[in-house]
Amino acid sequence: MKVNKLAPEKGARASSLKWRNTKAQRCTTRVNVSERCTTRVNVSELPSTPVMIKMIKEHQAAVKKKPIVKRLERKAMPVSGSKEKKHTSFESKKTYPNANGKSEVTMNIDADDWQEWSTNGKSSLGNGEKSADGVETVSSGRLEGESFHYCAERDEDRNHAVLVMQKSQTLCFRGKCLLTCLYGRVEVMGFTIEEGQQPYPLFSPASHCPLTVTALGSTDDARDEGMEATAILSKYLTPASQNRLLRRINLNSSVILLEPMETSLTRFLCSFPDLSELFSPPVSELMSAVLDTPLNGLGMIPLVSDVEGLRMSKSYREALNTVVSACRDDGDGSVVVLVCGTKNVGKSTFIRVLLNTLLNHTTGIDYLEGDLGQTEFTPSGCLSLSTVTEPLLGPPFTHQRTPEHMIYYGQTSCDSDLDRYLESMKSLWSRRPKSRDTPVVINTMGWVKGFGFQMLVDLLRLLPVTHVVQLGHGESMHCATLTPDLLQTVQGYLTKPPAHTAMDEFTEGHSPARTYAHLAVQCAFQGVGRQGASKHQRSNELRELSLLAYLSQLQEAHQGPVRQLNCLTPYQVPHTAVAIGVTHCEVAPSHVLYAANASLVGLCCLPEKVTSRGGPVVLSHAPLCPCVGFGVLRGIDMARGLYFLLTPVDPSILRNVNCLLLGAITLPSCILTTQSGCEEEKPYVTTDYSFDLTGAGKMRVFKGIVRPGHVGK
């Protein structure tokens, strides 16, 4: 990758950060990584195998035995107020708005063709079979099976498809695509996409619940759907395909354009053998995948109704509506929502739906990240403050971005240093402008017992929270209900309940206890309360995906070959220009460089100037300072006094970096085991190691086990 060179400035001090490009020398330090050899099957190639063809035929036979498209008992009524227009001239020329709302399309339509298309458009109401009078019945619910052959048309030359959906119809799928709403409205993860808006990327990988697109119909009852639909479809389909879809468009229809999507993120992730099937259905969903539709060649595979998308309980929807109504009614933007709950209860998903729903009514929402293990916009181990202005239509690794303010904590849990965690959260909150009138959403950890519960109590007392959304499952919250009354009596880690006396209500300076709205949510989705057992669904795998997604920013933006990290040109950083420290444990100063080599480091900015006596500067403790991004320390040259660093951070920001922090967040093993261009042994990797020796493997810590001396106490 071409990296902009930063020439050293004349007269610059030795402590200033000088970044130059150089080829890094190989380091002989080895990291023990166990090699795994597994056989992978690419789902995109399954239809070509005899076994999968047999599976598809058996699945289609089952579909024919039991119809999956529901029919209305009564025939559909024609759309009211749709009068045919008489054309006096042979050629009708009109101008219509384009699909994206930015330009106009001038249509030259033959009068006879327009009369036929207009009649077809007004005499049908949806997908399905025609009744005795020629009007088609509406199919509601999930789009699946043969329905796609009636409501979807694909243009092979331009490699895109147009799908017509009736109101309340849903499309559940695996894969990735670009979605543009051409007519009507659709909803994805709480966000409403309307005609005239930009294309939105949709990501539905096997690591998370499949995405569902729901048709909402049109809001304008007086529009002429025939003329507008004809103008729109003519841009994307052939005349024959247009004619077939026009018969199914009415005022309650939504028309969407689906296009394949390939980005530097998806190319980089799929270049690793273990992640090549990330955007394909998992093994448990193969029999539910619809593999013979016009959408399959676009990188998306529809799923039948046996596979469930996001399920929202009644309390789930009520909590969303309450928060949204509070944000709409509160003009000064003082709504602060704290979301809490135990592990694997769906906090991150709820927050994504909440943020997307709020974006339907406001231009931005502040997001305070307090979950070190499952972060939303950064690699794990970070606390951050971000402003969300775009919908989140995929899992966290699909929308990695640089927050406004970030602190690198360096661990996935705060149990080793609770004070540093609380100080970091207070520091981030203090950096938010007091004049900002946007709502705030706060994410918290899944640690809700013991010290974890006390940390929640402290956050409620330290931050001006107006709404607490507490998620649980199985008719239980798995911890005490965090109501305002409980906050008056319970002890926090740093804070104490307010002291009350009998004379408080008669005291002139007495202030009433601060209150907030408590919303209890019972989650009912499949697998709630337990960690995913399928591939790519475990918490450590999700953390690795986020880190790989961040490192994918090192790839070229255009469609080019994927380059492994060992093929990229690093920056060189003088030892005297930056300080280096460890956040999660104590390391002897003479061993710090051994520990940091071939590791992920946080790029931080210390307020004071770094001074050196000619060698590496090692910090005695982890500082609390801003972090601007991350890098891979791929080599250390002691002879020349240089660090070799790979990072996607802009060079103009790197000038301010004067500290490298090493945490407990490690590089995924696939980065080290898939280095290209290595004919012999791969750098940093060795197989000459036995894990059968006592103490050879990673030390595991089992939390919650009572020591023998404390049993019975």
Side-chain angles (χ1 to χ4, degrees):
M1 182 179 72
K2 184 179 180 181
V3 184
N4 296 329
K5 295 184 178 181
L6 297 180
E9 299 176 359
K10 296 183 179 181
R13 299 182 180 178
S15 60
S16 63
L17 184 58
K18 304 180 182 66
W19 305 82
R20 301 192 299 275
N21 294 321
T22 183
K23 291 294 183 180
Q25 299 177 349
R26 286 188 179 179
C27 181
T28 58
T29 303
R30 305 295 182 186
V31 178
N32 298 320
V33 180
S34 59
E35 294 186 349
R36 302 176 182 175
C37 181
T38 55
T39 303
R40 301 297 175 194
V41 180
N42 194 337
V43 177
S44 61
E45 299 175 357
L46 287 177
S48 60
T49 62
V51 176
M52 181 50 63
I53 293 176
K54 182 179 179 181
M55 293 169 61
I56 295 175
K57 290 182 178 180
E58 292 177 353
H59 178 70
Q60 292 177 345
V63 170
K64 291 180 180 179
K65 291 179 181 179
K66 185 177 180 180
I68 57 176
V69 180
K70 298 181 180 179
R71 310 296 183 187
L72 294 181
E73 296 180 358
R74 295 180 296 177
K75 65 180 181 180
M77 299 296 293
V79 179
S80 60
S82 57
K83 299 181 180 180
E84 297 184 357
K85 298 182 179 180
K86 297 182 179 181
H87 300 273
T88 56
S89 60
F90 176 77
E91 190 178 72
S92 176
K93 185 174 182 180
K94 293 189 69 174
T95 302
Y96 305 98
N98 194 359
N100 57 13
K102 297 180 180 179
S103 60
E104 294 183 344
V105 180
T106 302
M107 295 295 299
N108 293 326
I109 307 173
D110 187 282
D112 296 334
D113 292 341
W114 165 245
Q115 186 74 14
E116 178 185 358
W117 290 355
S118 177
T119 304
N120 288 332
K122 298 175 188 303
S123 62
S124 62
L125 286 179
N127 310 319
E129 298 179 353
K130 291 185 178 180
S131 58
D133 58 355
V135 179
E136 298 185 358
T137 56
V138 179
S139 58
S140 60
R142 178 79 63 87
L143 277 176
E144 55 186 16
E146 297 181 357
S147 301
F148 289 101
H149 298 287
Y150 296 102
C151 61
E153 292 290 339
R154 180 177 175 183
D155 191 311
E156 299 288 347
D157 296 334
R158 290 178 283 186
N159 195 25
H160 62 226
V162 176
L163 176 66
V164 177
M165 302 176 66
Q166 306 306 320
K167 188 174 182 179
S168 300
Q169 278 188 336
T170 60
L171 167 65
C172 186
F173 72 96
R174 289 289 188 192
K176 56 188 180 346
C177 68
L178 277 176
L179 184 148
T180 306
C181 186
L182 305 178
Y183 183 88
R185 300 175 302 151
V186 295
E187 180 265 330
V188 184
M189 287 286 289
F191 182 72
T192 302
I193 304 176
E194 301 180 354
E195 55 183 290
Q197 294 182 346
Q198 64 187 38
Y200 287 98
L202 305 185
F203 298 91
S204 183
S207 58
H208 289 72
C209 174
L211 279 188
T212 301
V213 181
T214 304
L216 302 179
S218 176
T219 57
D220 187 3
D221 296 335
R223 64 191 307 178
D224 189 341
E225 72 276 8
M227 290 286 290
E228 294 186 22
T230 303
I232 292 172
L233 294 182
S234 62
K235 283 193 59 181
Y236 305 100
L237 297 175
T238 61
S241 298
Q242 297 175 41
N243 196 19
R244 286 191 291 269
L245 287 187
L246 278 172
R247 292 193 294 246
R248 296 167 177 84
I249 298 178
N250 57 75
L251 287 176
N252 289 324
S253 300
S254 296
V255 182
I256 58 176
L257 174 69
L258 301 172
E259 302 173 275
M261 177 180 58
E262 197 70 35
T263 64
S264 58
L265 165 66
T266 59
R267 288 188 291 110
F268 182 69
L269 291 179
C270 295
S271 67
F272 298 101
D274 285 346
L275 300 177
S276 59
E277 302 172 11
L278 180 61
F279 292 98
S280 300
V283 177
S284 59
E285 295 177 0
L286 283 180
M287 292 303 297
S288 302
V290 185
L291 302 174
D292 55 348
T293 72
L295 311 183
N296 295 130
L298 305 176
M300 55 188 305
I301 300 178
L303 303 173
V304 299
S305 55
D306 295 340
V307 178
E308 189 178 45
L310 177 61
R311 182 197 294 180
M312 298 185 185
S313 62
K314 181 180 179 181
S315 58
Y316 200 105
R317 296 182 183 276
E318 290 177 348
L320 288 173
N321 294 333
T322 301
V323 175
V324 172
S325 299
C327 293
R328 295 182 63 182
D329 297 340
D330 196 349
D332 57 1
S334 59
V335 176
V336 180
V337 185
L338 185 141
V339 181
C340 61
T342 186
K343 295 180 179 179
N344 305 309
V345 78
K347 295 188 300 296
S348 297
T349 303
F350 178 86
I351 288 177
R352 281 194 290 274
V353 176
L354 175 60
L355 293 174
N356 291 338
T357 307
L358 290 175
L359 285 176
N360 294 327
H361 310 282
T362 184
T363 57
I365 306 103
D366 287 345
Y367 175 78
L368 180 59
E369 180 62 82
D371 189 353
L372 292 167
Q374 301 297 334
T375 51
E376 190 69 30
F377 300 110
T378 66
S380 57
C382 294
L383 301 172
S384 61
L385 178 64
S386 307
T387 299
V388 182
T389 58
E390 295 291 333
L392 311 177
L393 306 178
F397 72 86
T398 63
H399 45 253
Q400 293 289 294
R401 62 190 64 171
T402 302
E404 293 183 12
H405 305 284
M406 178 169 58
I407 294 176
Y408 185 45
Y409 189 88
Q411 299 183 72
T412 58
S413 177
C414 67
D415 55 356
S416 62
D417 195 345
L418 303 180
D419 296 276
R420 186 164 179 258
Y421 174 85
L422 289 175
E423 289 299 322
S424 300
M425 293 293 287
K426 289 192 293 184
S427 175
L428 290 172
W429 182 261
S430 65
R431 295 175 182 271
R432 180 177 181 266
K434 300 297 186 293
S435 59
R436 186 175 293 180
D437 58 354
T438 56
V440 185
V441 176
I442 304 173
N443 188 20
T444 59
M445 299 177 294
W447 186 20
V448 296
K449 294 183 179 181
F451 285 118
F453 179 78
Q454 294 181 5
M455 302 284 281
L456 282 176
V457 172
D458 287 339
L459 290 178
L460 289 174
R461 289 182 177 145
L462 296 173
L463 305 179
V465 177
T466 61
H467 294 74
V468 173
V469 180
Q470 190 169 2
L471 281 72
H473 65 90
E475 303 299 330
S476 173
M477 290 298 171
H478 302 275
C479 72
T481 305
L482 290 168
T483 60
D485 294 337
L486 179 69
L487 213 63
Q488 302 301 314
T489 59
V490 72
Q491 179 83 20
Y493 176 71
L494 291 180
T495 63
K496 297 180 180 180
H500 298 285
T501 64
M503 297 299 295
D504 279 347
E505 56 180 321
F506 303 103
T507 305
E508 183 178 354
H510 173 69
S511 58
R514 185 172 58 87
T515 183
Y516 52 82
H518 180 269
L519 306 173
V521 175
Q522 290 295 329
C523 297
F525 58 88
Q526 186 177 4
V528 61
R530 62 179 185 271
Q531 184 174 247
S534 300
K535 192 175 181 181
H536 311 309
Q537 294 182 352
R538 299 178 180 87
S539 57
N540 62 314
E541 292 178 296
L542 298 179
R543 287 192 285 267
E544 289 187 352
L545 283 173
S546 295
L547 182 52
L548 288 173
Y550 180 85
L551 296 177
S552 70
Q553 301 175 42
L554 289 167
Q555 301 295 317
E556 298 287 350
H558 58 79
Q559 296 287 345
V562 175
R563 302 177 62 191
Q564 300 300 330
L565 298 190
N566 65 307
C567 299
L568 301 176
T569 304
Y571 293 103
Q572 68 176 22
V573 187
H575 288 176
T576 57
V578 295
I580 188 168
V582 182
T583 64
H584 61 290
C585 61
E586 294 184 3
V587 180
S590 59
H591 293 171
V592 169
L593 296 186
Y594 291 104
N597 191 30
S599 300
L600 182 78
V601 292
L603 309 180
C604 303
C605 302
L606 294 174
E608 62 272 8
K609 178 182 175 181
V610 175
T611 57
S612 173
R613 296 181 179 179
V617 181
V618 180
L619 300 175
S620 59
H621 65 280
L624 192 66
C625 56
C627 178
V628 298
F630 298 90
V632 178
L633 194 60
R634 57 160 296 179
I636 301 175
D637 190 338
M638 294 301 298
R640 293 189 291 169
L642 297 174
Y643 298 119
F644 298 105
L645 192 74
L646 289 171
T647 177
V649 178
D650 189 83
S652 62
I653 301 177
L654 289 178
R655 294 181 182 273
N656 302 320
V657 173
N658 59 357
C659 177
L660 305 179
L661 287 184
L662 172 67
I665 311 302
T666 59
L667 290 175
S669 60
C670 60
I671 290 181
L672 303 176
T673 57
T674 57
Q675 301 180 64
S676 58
C678 301
E679 298 178 358
E680 299 178 355
E681 291 188 11
K682 296 181 176 66
Y684 314 109
V685 179
T686 181
T687 57
D688 187 15
Y689 195 84
S690 175
F691 284 90
D692 296 331
L693 300 175
T694 303
K698 179 181 178 181
M699 183 176 65
R700 300 183 180 276
V701 179
F702 297 93
K703 301 177 181 179
I705 298 180
V706 181
R707 294 183 179 181
H710 294 79
V711 175
K713 292 185 179 181

